[in-house]
């Protein structure tokens, strides 16, 4: 183990943007020297929050978008269980990206899954660099990525492969004063090369003092049911088993500003005239439905070309959902339509789920829409369309599935299913219910369950009076380590639990000809500079 005093390299401080004013000591460990677990310690943050450690073995481990989540990174890729990229000037990557202000938080956005600084207070990672480079760890307690909520410290990368292990303590110099405390929404690794440099990252962990870091992080449970996408699917129910899976063209009611067709079980399209930046896919509904019943919208979607949020060709990689509430008079300016706020989509993230039943309409609708912001919950929805992007160029894309679902539900019981992503012998499970998806402070409903490889199941039969909506979490224990995971979505006990119990409205397919169909946007990109929302130029602090 070597101790490196960064102050001995202060000659480079004036040449980089991240500053090197304070003393930082780097503990550099070789990968074969893991820390030792002590007591009943949890595993790392990513394993707990996403049931998936940052081992770079799948596409969701790093957002490959050089417009906020990354900066100045070229040739970025995920392959061979590693993150790879090049940099020739100061830049960064975010292991945890908080999300864009003014957009709908979804997926692994840090605003929806913040790091609890009281539980996790160290960071370790294994990285290769082709040169010594000034670097820093940064964290943010707000989405704006501003100095007012920024903390961190500085270090130097060493050439070659090394494992770095740090306490997460701010150095309290200018612009780095926010302590590691409370909810951390974004976590950044800043790098300031002065010449072309190649980097590889093998794994990264945010873990508790006394915990273990390295390839094996302990038990990593994942709950399969209930899940984030919900249960009963509207289209499958009302269209006699024919969900919006794009196995046939009849899933689509109409297309606007799109040329394309259904191919091999998906819609394959390209932005087209007359308004290239307004592609819209109208879904064939059959019957109007209650937005409180069917509220979780999942879209399996991917696109070609680069990520970008500017209002120009190769920009506009934000999607929207557009809907009409039954009884709303048609208009020519789109004031009859409800517009979701921006849903930022990333090139290597192939699906997103959003919950449209928010407490207030302002939480889900665009503040710039032409009509009143009525929202989704409690409304009868008679038209629904998916706008895949707002790119002014001819961007190609694919839509594989749209699911509009109720919560997972059971009448008097529900079968919880889960597995362990790092299965090993001698694991036992405990199950809990909670009113929210935070804190791991719920009520135990089962314990001492032997965990086997593959899926495990437990049928929860609540006691009388337990009807309501609950999040489930599971705790796995193995060799003094604890792995915890919440369900992606809640389960409802009681209420509607069978397809035959849903009540649907009038027969509708959306008007065949409708002046306001496309006018519902604000189609000038909502995240561009004129609106004051986050742009590429303003996240590069």
């Amino acid at each position: 183990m070597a101790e490196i005093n960064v102050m001995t390299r202060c000659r480079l401080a004036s040449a980089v943007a991240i500053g090197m004013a304070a003393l930082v000591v780097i503990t550099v460990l070789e990968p074969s020297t893991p820390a030792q677990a002590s007591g009943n310690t949890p595993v790392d943050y990513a394993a707990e929050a996403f049931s998936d450690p940052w081992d770079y073995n799948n596409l969701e481990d790093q957002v490959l978008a050089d417009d906020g989540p990354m900066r100045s990174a070229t040739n970025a890729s995920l392959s061979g269980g590693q993150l790879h990229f090049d940099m020739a000037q100061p830049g960064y990557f975010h292991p945890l990206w908080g999300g864009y202000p003014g957009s709908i938080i979804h997926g692994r956005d840090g605003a929806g899954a913040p790091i609890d600084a009281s539980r996790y207070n160290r960071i370790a990672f294994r990285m290769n660099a082709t040169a010594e480079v000034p670097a820093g760890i940064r964290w943010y307690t707000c989405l704006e990525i501003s100095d007012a909520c920024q903390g961190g410290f500085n270090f130097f990368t060493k050439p070659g492969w090394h494992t770095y292990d740090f306490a997460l303590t701010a150095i309290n110099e200018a612009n780095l004063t926010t302590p590691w405390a409370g909810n951390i929404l974004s976590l950044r690794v800043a790098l300031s090369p002065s010449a072309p440099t190649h980097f590889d990252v093998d794994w990264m962990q945010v873990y508790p003092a006394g915990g273990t870091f390295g390839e094996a992080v302990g038990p990593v449970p994942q709950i399969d049911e209930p899940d984030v996408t919900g249960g009963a699917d509207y289209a499958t129910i009302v269209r006699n088993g024919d969900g919006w899976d794009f196995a046939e063209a009849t899933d689509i009611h109409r297309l606007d500003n799109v040329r394309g067709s259904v191919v091999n079980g998906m819609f394959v399209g390209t932005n087209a005239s007359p308004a290239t930046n307004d592609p819209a896919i109208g879904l064939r509904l059959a019957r109007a439905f209650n937005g409180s019943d069917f509220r979780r919208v999942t879209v399996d979607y991917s696109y070609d070309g680069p990520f970008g949020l500017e209002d120009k060709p190769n920009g506009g990689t934000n999607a929207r959902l557009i809907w009409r509430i039954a009884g709303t008079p048609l208009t020519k300016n789109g004031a009859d339509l409800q517009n979701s706020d921006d849903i930022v989509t990333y090139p290597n993230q192939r699906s997103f789920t959003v919950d449209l039943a928010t407490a207030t309409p302002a939480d889900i609708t665009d503040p710039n829409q032409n009509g009143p912001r009525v929202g989704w919950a409690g409304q009868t929805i008679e038209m629904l369309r998916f706008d895949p992007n707002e790119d002014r160029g001819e961007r190609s894309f694919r839509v594989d599935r749209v699911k509009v679902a109720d919560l997972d539900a059971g009448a008097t019981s529900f079968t919880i299913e889960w597995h362990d992503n790092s299965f090993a012998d001698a694991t036992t499970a405990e199950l809990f219910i909670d009113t929210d998806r935070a804190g791991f402070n719920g009520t135990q409903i089962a314990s001492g369950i032997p965990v086997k490889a593959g899926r495990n199941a437990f049928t929860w039969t609540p006691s009388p009076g337990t009807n309501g909506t609950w999040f489930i979490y599971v705790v796995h224990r193995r060799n003094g380590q604890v792995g915890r995971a919440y369900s992606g979505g809640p389960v409802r006990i009681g209420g509607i639990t069978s397809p035959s119990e849903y009540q649907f409205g009038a027969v509708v397919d959306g008007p065949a000809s409708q002046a306001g169909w496309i006018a519902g946007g604000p189609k000038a990109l909502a995240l561009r500079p004129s609106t004051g929302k986050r742009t590429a130029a303003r996240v590069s602090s």
Side-chain angles (χ1 to χ4, degrees):
M1 180 185 305
E3 297 284 328
I4 301 177
N5 187 326
V6 173
M7 287 297 288
T8 62
R9 293 169 177 161
C10 62
R11 64 187 184 278
L12 297 177
S14 61
V16 300
I18 57 176
M20 293 291 163
L23 173 66
V24 179
V25 174
I26 303 177
T27 302
V28 182
L29 305 178
E30 292 306 318
S32 60
T33 313
Q36 298 299 311
S38 61
N40 203 8
T41 56
V43 296
D44 79 295
Y45 158 78
E48 181 174 280
F50 311 124
S51 296
D52 178 23
W54 289 326
D55 56 11
Y56 305 108
N57 282 317
N58 68 59
L59 291 176
E60 293 190 323
D61 286 345
Q62 174 64 44
V63 178
L64 301 178
D66 197 57
D67 197 4
M70 303 184 82
R71 170 68 63 212
S72 301
T74 58
N75 305 315
S77 67
L78 290 161
S79 63
Q82 294 176 355
L83 168 65
H84 314 281
F85 58 91
D86 300 309
M87 279 186 183
Q89 59 186 353
Y92 56 75
F93 69 96
H94 281 90
L96 181 66
W97 170 244
Y100 286 92
S103 69
I104 295 175
I105 298 302
H106 66 89
R108 298 192 180 188
D109 288 345
I115 300 173
D116 182 350
S118 69
R119 301 186 68 235
Y120 297 102
N121 53 17
R122 296 192 68 86
I123 185 170
F125 51 95
R126 181 173 184 254
M127 183 166 68
N128 172 55
T130 56
E132 179 181 272
V133 170
I137 302 296
R138 304 287 185 265
W139 56 82
Y140 302 88
T141 56
C142 63
L143 279 183
E144 285 70 22
I145 308 293
S146 69
D147 291 345
C149 66
Q150 178 179 249
F153 55 85
N154 305 313
F155 68 101
F156 281 82
T157 68
K158 294 181 64 180
W161 279 103
H162 295 279
T163 295
Y164 301 84
D165 178 32
F166 304 101
L168 289 161
T169 305
I171 58 178
N172 201 33
E173 69 173 30
N175 302 327
L176 294 175
T177 58
T178 299
W180 180 266
N183 286 331
I184 307 299
L185 304 188
S186 293
L187 181 66
R188 170 186 293 185
V189 179
L191 299 161
S192 290
S194 56
T197 306
H198 178 75
F199 299 91
D200 307 285
V201 186
D202 191 20
W203 51 261
M204 180 165 294
Q205 292 169 227
V206 177
Y207 72 104
T212 301
F213 66 81
E215 293 291 342
V217 297
V220 185
Q222 179 173 344
I223 295 181
D224 304 300
E225 292 292 340
D227 71 347
V228 68
T229 68
D233 173 32
Y234 158 79
T236 301
I237 295 171
V238 80
R239 301 177 69 226
N240 299 316
D242 182 16
W244 291 320
D245 58 4
F246 300 99
E248 56 279 316
T250 53
D251 290 344
I252 300 170
H253 170 59
R254 62 177 282 172
L255 299 172
D256 290 88
N257 302 325
V258 176
R259 65 175 183 269
S261 60
V262 169
V263 180
N264 296 326
M266 68 177 65
F267 177 77
V268 179
T270 302
N271 295 12
S273 59
T276 307
N277 71 324
D278 282 335
I281 303 170
L283 299 166
R284 191 173 295 280
L285 265 66
R287 302 291 294 271
F289 62 91
N290 186 333
S292 292
D293 289 342
F294 299 97
R295 54 186 285 183
R296 290 198 165 236
V297 181
T298 299
V299 181
D300 296 339
Y301 165 67
S302 61
Y303 55 82
D304 298 330
F307 174 85
L309 297 177
E310 294 181 90
D311 187 20
K312 66 179 186 180
N314 285 328
T317 53
N318 59 301
R320 294 184 195 274
L321 295 161
I322 312 288
W323 63 94
R324 175 186 290 105
I325 296 167
T328 306
L330 299 184
T331 68
K332 293 183 178 181
N333 67 353
D336 57 319
L337 302 180
Q338 299 291 302
N339 305 273
S340 79
D341 217 335
D342 300 274
I343 304 170
V344 178
T345 59
Y346 300 108
N348 63 317
Q349 315 289 291
R350 303 303 173 85
S351 181
F352 66 82
T353 298
V354 295
D355 191 344
L356 296 179
T358 52
T360 62
D363 291 335
I364 202 70
T365 53
D366 194 291
N368 299 315
Q369 71 179 34
N370 291 333
R373 303 172 71 187
V374 180
W376 180 277
Q379 307 301 324
T380 300
I381 312 300
E382 70 168 10
M383 183 277 280
L384 178 64
R385 84 180 199 224
F386 173 57
D387 290 13
N389 66 71
E390 294 177 2
D391 188 341
R392 291 192 178 275
E394 293 192 353
R395 185 181 292 270
S396 296
F397 59 86
R398 293 154 296 279
V399 185
D400 194 27
R401 175 185 65 149
V402 177
K403 177 182 178 182
V404 181
D406 195 358
L407 304 179
D408 282 298
T412 57
S413 65
F414 184 82
T415 299
I416 302 164
E417 298 182 23
W418 76 99
H419 66 279
D420 193 320
N421 284 322
S422 64
F423 180 78
D425 293 335
T427 301
T428 61
E430 304 159 43
L431 292 169
F432 297 77
I433 59 173
D434 201 347
T435 56
D436 58 18
R437 198 172 179 271
F440 296 100
N441 55 355
T443 301
Q444 189 176 88
I445 58 173
S447 63
I449 305 171
V451 177
K452 61 183 180 181
R455 288 206 170 189
N456 297 264
F458 173 81
T459 299
W460 172 42
T461 303
S463 58
T466 316
N467 283 9
T469 301
W470 303 94
F471 286 91
I472 309 297
Y473 68 89
V474 61
V475 178
H476 282 188
R477 301 184 186 277
R478 182 170 69 238
N479 299 330
Q481 293 179 304
V482 177
R484 301 174 175 86
Y486 273 100
S487 56
V491 58
R492 185 185 65 249
I493 300 299
I496 297 175
T497 57
S498 152
S500 63
E501 297 177 76
Y502 292 102
Q503 300 295 312
F504 296 102
V507 175
V508 293
D509 280 316
S513 177
Q514 171 184 325
W517 176 273
I518 288 297
K523 289 306 171 185
L525 188 63
L527 295 178
R528 66 180 180 175
S530 62
T531 65
K533 296 185 181 180
R534 182 58 52 198
T535 67
R538 297 173 62 195
V539 294
S540 58
S541 57

